[in-house]
Amino acid sequence: MKTIILYYSFTGKTKTLAVKKASEINADIEEITEEKKMSFIGSFFIGAPKAVKRKTVKIKPIAADLNIYEKIIIMAPVWASHPAPAFNNIVEKIPSGKKIEIILVSGGGGTQKTAENTKKLFTDRGCEVTGYTDVKE
């Protein structure tokens, strides 16, 4: 199954895990970056409220043709019990009919209370969520 990992990493922890996973499963990998990187303080005062409201931030275009992949693994940090805002941009780029695995990386709390709504973002697009994991780093 042709697989790609799309990941957004703010501090580097998610990137480390994404690179390791891509190597383990022989997947392609692409980093999602913001057009204008948020500061650490901005992540708390701007990013976290956007995460809770499932808002987006501007990201650079995804270079990979997502149509050629059967499975897409999406990795992102957890902010205020929700995926970081760049995750929401990724959702909008996913073609329907894809198998999706979600891996969210947290330094503290997880996304137990928001997991079903996060999965629904993809099922509403006609995708199948094949896995959902909270990783504590």
Side-chain angles (χ1 to χ4, degrees):
M1 179 180 313
K2 191 160 178 71
T3 302
I4 187 169
I5 296 175
L6 300 176
Y7 73 92
Y8 168 74
S9 187
F10 189 74
T11 64
K13 290 179 184 178
T14 304
K15 179 178 184 172
T16 299
L17 294 173
V19 169
K20 180 180 178 190
K21 181 147 183 93
S23 175
E24 290 171 353
I25 65 171
N26 195 30
D28 293 339
I29 187 168
E30 184 170 340
E31 182 174 15
I32 304 304
T33 56
E34 298 164 324
E35 284 186 2
K36 183 178 178 188
K37 184 161 173 70
M38 221 177 291
S39 69
F40 186 73
I41 299 291
S43 69
F44 286 104
F45 294 109
I46 298 168
K50 281 187 173 193
V52 170
K53 293 177 184 172
R54 298 210 187 262
K55 299 289 184 182
T56 60
V57 293
K58 291 184 180 181
I59 61 171
K60 294 179 182 173
I62 296 173
D65 177 1
L66 300 180
N67 291 302
I68 68 170
Y69 295 96
E70 297 169 66
K71 182 175 184 180
I72 301 171
I73 299 171
I74 303 168
M75 299 178 71
V78 174
W79 293 0
S81 299
H82 292 76
F87 176 93
N88 298 319
N89 292 76
I90 298 169
V91 172
E92 296 173 354
K93 311 286 186 207
I94 303 298
S96 65
K98 299 296 177 183
K99 293 184 186 313
I100 304 294
E101 182 178 344
I102 303 164
I103 301 172
L104 300 172
V105 182
S106 170
T111 62
Q112 299 84 348
K113 293 180 181 177
T114 62
E116 290 309 311
N117 286 335
T118 300
K119 292 177 196 176
K120 191 173 181 316
L121 296 172
F122 293 99
T123 57
D124 284 353
R125 295 184 63 79
C127 295
E128 176 188 355
V129 177
T130 61
Y132 188 101
T133 307
D134 271 320
V135 176
K136 297 225 167 110
E137 271 298 304

